[in-house]
Amino acid sequence: MGTNVCETLQISSPSFSAGDNIPKKHTCDGEDINPALEIGDLPEETKSLVLIVNDPDAPNGNWVHWLVWDVPPIHFIQENSSPGTVGMNDFGYINYAGPCPSLGTHRYFFRVYALDIDLNLSSGSNKEQVYLQMENHIIGTGQLMGLYSH
């Protein structure tokens, strides 16, 4: 996306391991709350974080479940929290919407981007607006992938 040197962030969750099933609690079949995330190896120049949770296996393509920006450069995102400014997900809501696949097992990517700026976008902005503002400001990125099926 950007032209900056991009470092690898370490993303993990106390709720599930990479490649494992996401607990029901974090899905539409449970409490529908975001899992806690641990973030390691943030670049020193990090001004803010962007968090995007998406499902590339959705029938309509890359479906965004959660979009958050201007998260301070923290190493832990609490379960059931709004750590920054929340944007419009692809369901048309300004909140976390957990995994809820129509058919089969889907992959869900929890991606964190370290930026050298704050985005200062209004709450409810969409993914296109966020991606546009992030361009050329990504200095680190990492992801955690989990699986879910009903």
Side-chain angles (χ1 to χ4, degrees):
M1 198 177 301
T3 56
N4 291 359
V5 173
C6 202
E7 295 183 29
T8 301
L9 310 180
Q10 299 303 312
I11 313 299
S12 62
S13 175
S15 299
F16 65 98
S17 297
D20 283 351
N21 288 322
I22 297 168
K24 186 176 180 178
K25 171 185 194 176
H26 304 296
T27 74
C28 68
D29 295 323
E31 295 173 48
D32 212 10
I33 59 172
N34 67 280
L37 295 174
E38 295 171 349
I39 306 162
D41 298 337
L42 285 176
E44 205 175 294
E45 318 77 48
T46 303
K47 296 271 191 293
S48 71
L49 303 175
V50 173
L51 173 59
I52 301 173
V53 178
N54 73 298
D55 170 7
D57 303 320
N60 295 337
N62 197 12
W63 195 260
V64 172
H65 285 255
W66 200 27
L67 179 62
V68 187
W69 60 89
D70 290 350
V71 177
I74 55 179
H75 294 282
F76 190 76
I77 293 173
Q78 297 288 336
E79 179 180 270
N80 195 23
S81 67
S82 289
T85 304
V86 182
M88 181 77 64
N89 63 33
D90 284 337
F91 294 100
Y93 300 112
I94 302 171
N95 62 6
Y96 171 83
C100 198
S102 51
L103 212 54
T105 301
H106 287 208
R107 296 169 297 153
Y108 295 89
F109 289 88
F110 292 75
R111 289 190 170 94
V112 178
Y113 299 88
L115 306 182
D116 60 4
I117 60 166
D118 288 320
L119 296 184
N120 295 316
L121 290 167
S122 302
S123 175
S125 295
N126 64 32
K127 63 186 174 191
E128 288 81 11
Q129 293 165 306
V130 172
Y131 285 134
L132 188 64
Q133 291 295 315
M134 284 171 48
E135 199 168 324
N136 299 317
H137 293 286
I138 300 170
I139 57 174
T141 185
Q143 69 182 24
L144 171 65
M145 190 274 292
L147 303 170
Y148 190 70
S149 61
H150 288 286

